[in-house]
Amino acid sequence: MPEAKYGELPGYFATEERLGGKDAYEAEKTAGKTVLDYRQWVQVRTDEFKNWFGDWQNGQVPVRLLDKNGEPKIFYPDPVADTYEVSRHICYYETQRRSVKETITEYVKYDDEGRIMGIWPQPREGYLPEQRSRTRTFYEDIEKSKTVHETLSFRQVEDCTFHIRIEGSNRWIGVLVLSPEDGENGFRSNRPLAKQDGSRYFVPFRVEIEKDYRSKGVGTALYRFAEQCIGEEIYPARSQTDAAKGLWEKRNRQGGFGGYFMNADGQMKSAVNNSGLFDRSNSDTGDTLPQEILDKARRTYQGLRATAAPEAEKQRFTMLEQLMEKTVSGLPADVRMQARINFYQSQIRDAGKTYDLSDERNIETGIDR
């Protein structure tokens, strides 16, 4: 993944400068002292990473979490198989034949010699009641249930088409069709539109799984199988369904595509798709990116402004935002982003307070000028 495309935290750039940049990295790489890519090499040396992982450069991390060079080790998920075991509890109906013996009353008329002249189901003049036994046969559907164990087979039928079938049958239960992303924004708002070679990221054009097989991990397994086949990470696009995005998020929580770091507490963080926050309070392997934090905070602030009353309060929100933009103008892009985040988050925290508009207010950006 291209480095410095994630809206890096200021700590990343400070660490990069302290280390000596790409020249220092290339010297380490040539000498065989690192197997990390450039972004990882810088990121594991930031304070944010060490606060999460431990100070590995001063022996405060178990050796099992370090690679042969003594750097944080990248772990990779187990290879994905082309089959997947699933158990399903199914209900079905079975037609059964039942015979019932019953006693009925019939009305019979005899002649003088005792021969039967007629039989009638209801009382009738001249007919005598008699009880008779008979067997009646009928059919009914009985509901039954059972647990079935199936092996699902994943197959790449074309370059970007993957099928799920039940092994041992021709029954088709799911499909994943990929296509190059076509649009201005991907699922990750600040992900580059194209890879370094100019090609587009693959996104699911179609994700379809039979209802009985949903919520059993089948979709995620197929997703990871497809990534293994094509050799790169698959992203959902913003225009796609929540189900497609859910598959990506679940796969990311289970170890990501490009490996992950693990701290002594067993918490995992993606080695390729990480904002650099390394937030212990977030169980996902991919922490929220700074641009996403900014977008969420800005939307919340705008919501507060829209619902504020009276009109003077709305004007106050607008005035503070304009003053903030004036304050951060001219700062480096990464510092400006962090200053905006600090501003919106501080205003949200203080939303319940009343400010005196007659006083000049100091805009809280967290950035010294």
Side-chain angles (χ1 to χ4, degrees):
M1 303 290 288
E3 64 273 2
K5 295 290 188 180
Y6 291 75
E8 305 285 3
L9 298 176
Y12 176 92
F13 297 103
T15 303
E16 182 182 38
E17 183 177 359
R18 174 175 57 81
L19 294 173
K22 288 192 174 182
D23 290 341
Y25 168 75
E26 291 298 338
E28 294 268 298
K29 189 79 170 177
T30 302
K33 294 181 179 180
T34 185
V35 295
L36 305 176
D37 65 26
Y38 179 66
R39 184 171 187 266
Q40 294 163 346
W41 182 74
V42 175
Q43 204 171 56
V44 299
R45 289 165 169 82
T46 63
D47 290 339
E48 290 86 359
F49 181 85
K50 290 181 181 180
N51 289 337
W52 171 78
F53 185 76
D55 190 354
W56 57 274
Q57 291 179 302
N58 290 308
Q60 297 180 12
V61 173
V63 176
R64 61 185 172 82
L65 301 177
L66 304 177
D67 63 19
K68 62 181 181 180
N69 295 313
E71 293 182 309
K73 181 178 180 180
I74 297 180
F75 296 87
Y76 292 91
D78 293 334
V80 179
D82 59 0
T83 58
Y84 186 83
E85 304 295 329
V86 65
S87 297
R88 295 189 302 119
H89 186 72
I90 62 173
C91 294
Y92 63 99
Y93 288 91
E94 185 177 278
T95 301
Q96 293 186 347
R97 175 180 174 179
R98 292 184 59 189
S99 297
V100 178
K101 288 186 176 180
E102 56 185 9
T103 300
I104 61 172
T105 300
E106 294 180 326
Y107 298 86
V108 184
K109 184 177 182 179
Y110 296 92
D111 60 12
D112 295 339
E113 296 181 358
R115 292 175 296 193
I116 296 176
M117 297 182 60
I119 300 176
W120 201 254
Q122 291 89 25
R124 195 171 184 179
E125 186 180 353
Y127 286 72
L128 302 174
E130 292 186 5
Q131 289 188 334
R132 303 179 184 274
S133 296
R134 70 175 183 181
T135 300
R136 184 166 60 91
T137 301
F138 63 95
Y139 296 87
E140 64 179 350
D141 291 331
I142 305 298
E143 183 177 359
K144 293 189 173 182
S145 63
K146 64 179 180 179
T147 299
V148 296
H149 305 281
E150 297 170 329
T151 300
L152 307 183
S153 175
F154 300 148
R155 287 196 303 167
Q156 184 176 12
V157 294
E158 295 178 5
D159 288 345
C160 296
T161 304
F162 303 85
H163 281 181
I164 310 174
R165 293 184 181 275
I166 298 179
E167 200 167 74
S169 75
N170 292 322
R171 186 180 167 196
W172 174 91
I173 65 164
V175 65
L176 170 63
V177 181
L178 306 176
S179 65
E181 182 180 5
D182 182 17
E184 295 183 355
N185 292 305
F187 181 53
R188 291 287 184 176
S189 58
N190 54 351
R191 174 165 58 83
L193 295 183
K195 292 177 281 189
Q196 288 178 312
D197 61 4
S199 61
R200 294 281 181 171
Y201 293 95
F202 281 110
V203 299
F205 173 73
R206 178 185 172 199
V207 182
E208 182 180 323
I209 300 173
E210 276 192 11
K211 182 178 179 181
D212 290 346
Y213 295 88
R214 297 173 191 168
S215 303
K216 295 184 178 296
V218 177
T220 302
L222 177 63
Y223 211 64
R224 296 186 67 167
F225 173 75
E227 287 181 325
Q228 183 171 274
C229 290
I230 66 174
E232 65 177 89
E233 193 168 17
I234 302 168
Y235 290 87
R238 285 192 180 279
S239 60
Q240 290 175 329
T241 64
D242 290 340
K245 294 175 183 178
L247 290 178
W248 183 85
E249 291 170 338
K250 183 176 181 181
R251 190 269 296 136
N252 197 36
R253 287 194 299 272
Q254 293 177 343
F257 172 77
Y260 52 89
F261 297 113
M262 181 185 297
N263 66 13
D265 297 329
Q267 189 179 49
M268 300 184 302
K269 292 293 181 183
S270 174
V272 297
N273 184 38
N274 202 294
S275 66
L277 290 174
F278 293 98
D279 182 6
R280 281 181 174 271
S281 64
N282 181 6
S283 61
D284 285 1
T285 63
D287 288 325
T288 306
L289 303 175
Q291 181 64 50
E292 293 178 309
I293 297 174
L294 174 59
D295 291 343
K296 181 178 180 180
R298 181 186 285 128
R299 286 194 301 270
T300 303
Y301 183 83
Q302 291 171 344
L304 291 172
R305 180 174 58 194
T307 57
E311 188 65 27
E313 184 68 5
K314 294 182 180 180
Q315 292 175 358
R316 183 183 69 82
F317 276 102
T318 301
M319 182 196 70
L320 291 176
E321 188 173 31
Q322 291 173 346
L323 185 56
M324 178 272 295
E325 289 295 340
K326 182 178 179 180
T327 302
V328 303
S329 63
L331 292 174
D334 57 302
V335 180
R336 188 166 62 246
M337 176 181 290
Q338 189 61 49
R340 286 169 173 157
I341 291 172
N342 293 343
F343 165 77
Y344 287 119
Q345 290 182 339
S346 69
Q347 292 300 315
I348 293 168
R349 286 195 303 268
D350 298 341
K353 298 180 180 179
T354 302
Y355 298 104
D356 186 352
L357 295 180
S358 63
D359 295 334
E360 182 178 350
R361 174 160 171 76
N362 181 33
I363 299 301
E364 182 181 343
T365 62
I367 304 297
D368 294 329
R369 291 186 64 87

